[in-house]
Amino acid sequence: MDMIRRFVYGVDRLSRTIGHAFAYCVVILIAGTCYEVFMRYALNDPTSWAFDFSYLCYGALFYMAGAYTLSRGGHVRCDIFYRLLPARRQAGVDLVLYVFFFFPGILALVFSGWADGYDSMRILESSVNSPAGVPIWPMKMLLPFGAALLALQGVAEMLRCVVCLRDNEWPPRLHDAEELELQLIRQYAKGKIRDSIGLADAKAAAAGGEQ
């Protein structure tokens, strides 16, 4: 199991590194959009590449950050009943869903993405949405690599389920950015514990004073 944990941890770190690297696409996208707005409305000279630039940056981020999001447990799920289940049963449900739903779709995306990306690279495909002719084959080549990384992270998630089935608790994930809602829930829980301790101390002090 130690080897499994090391593998899961290594894949999580890989996904996090790539996700953090491609997160800078957001910064580049904002800079490009601001430049386009300035050129369009201040100088009345809009660029011919802004539209292609925006969806290329967003597409690259979307393709390559999927595995990172999966490693953080951040993909959308309907957990109305799932979150009420014990950890071992959650792991069993996840394991079945990965085998029968996740991997068939992701593997199809790897092979079809490679075929589409290779054909696009072979003809040096460029965009037809603007006269600038922005090359789009690099983004299409990202699709199979992003899907392969997602498949690798899926293997790590399945192994995480195996560990949970054995230990009846989920192995910890890498500490990273998290949603504000989770932080508020944790702070609320800590506040409730402090209030309970304070109330118990007050009762004990009162009982001691009465004696």
Side-chain angles (χ1 to χ4, degrees):
M1 282 296 176
D2 289 339
M3 184 180 298
I4 292 178
R5 288 179 181 272
R6 286 197 296 269
F7 176 81
V8 171
Y9 180 72
V11 174
D12 283 351
R13 289 193 64 180
L14 175 64
S15 297
R16 184 180 66 176
T17 300
I18 295 176
H20 283 188
F22 276 85
Y24 285 100
C25 287
V26 176
V27 179
I28 299 172
L29 177 58
I30 292 173
T33 303
C34 291
Y35 178 79
E36 164 64 15
V37 170
F38 175 77
M39 294 295 293
R40 179 180 294 272
Y41 294 103
L43 303 181
N44 196 27
D45 184 23
T47 65
S48 60
W49 46 262
F51 175 74
D52 295 314
F53 174 81
S54 63
Y55 80 71
L56 287 174
C57 283
Y58 181 75
L61 174 64
F62 182 82
Y63 290 162
M64 300 306 295
Y68 167 67
T69 306
L70 182 60
S71 73
R72 298 291 301 148
H75 285 292
V76 175
R77 72 161 77 220
C78 183
D79 60 353
I80 298 174
F81 304 109
Y82 174 88
R83 63 183 177 181
L84 302 177
L85 299 176
R88 183 169 286 154
R89 190 164 296 178
Q90 288 180 350
V93 171
D94 283 354
L95 196 58
V96 171
L97 293 177
Y98 276 115
V99 171
F100 290 102
F101 292 95
F102 178 84
F103 277 103
I106 292 300
L107 293 178
L109 188 60
V110 171
F111 290 109
S112 63
W114 172 257
D116 190 28
Y118 178 78
D119 288 341
S120 179
M121 181 181 65
R122 183 171 52 83
I123 64 174
L124 300 179
E125 184 179 3
S126 59
S127 174
V128 297
N129 295 317
S130 66
V134 178
I136 62 174
W137 64 266
M139 187 188 71
K140 287 193 173 184
M141 282 300 297
L142 286 178
L143 180 56
F145 292 105
L149 184 61
L150 197 56
L152 179 62
Q153 185 62 49
V155 173
E157 294 301 314
M158 287 183 63
L159 294 177
R160 184 175 270 115
C161 292
V162 171
V163 173
C164 183
L165 286 172
R166 187 200 68 169
D167 299 339
N168 198 25
E169 64 177 3
W170 288 105
R173 296 183 182 272
L174 292 178
H175 180 70
D176 200 358
E178 59 184 7
E179 295 181 4
L180 179 61
E181 179 184 5
L182 297 177
Q183 297 179 17
L184 293 176
I185 291 173
R186 193 154 46 245
Q187 290 177 6
Y188 176 76
K190 289 181 179 178
K192 292 284 286 185
I193 294 174
R194 284 196 299 268
D195 292 342
S196 299
I197 294 175
L199 182 60
D201 291 342
K203 288 182 178 180
E210 290 178 355
Q211 293 176 356

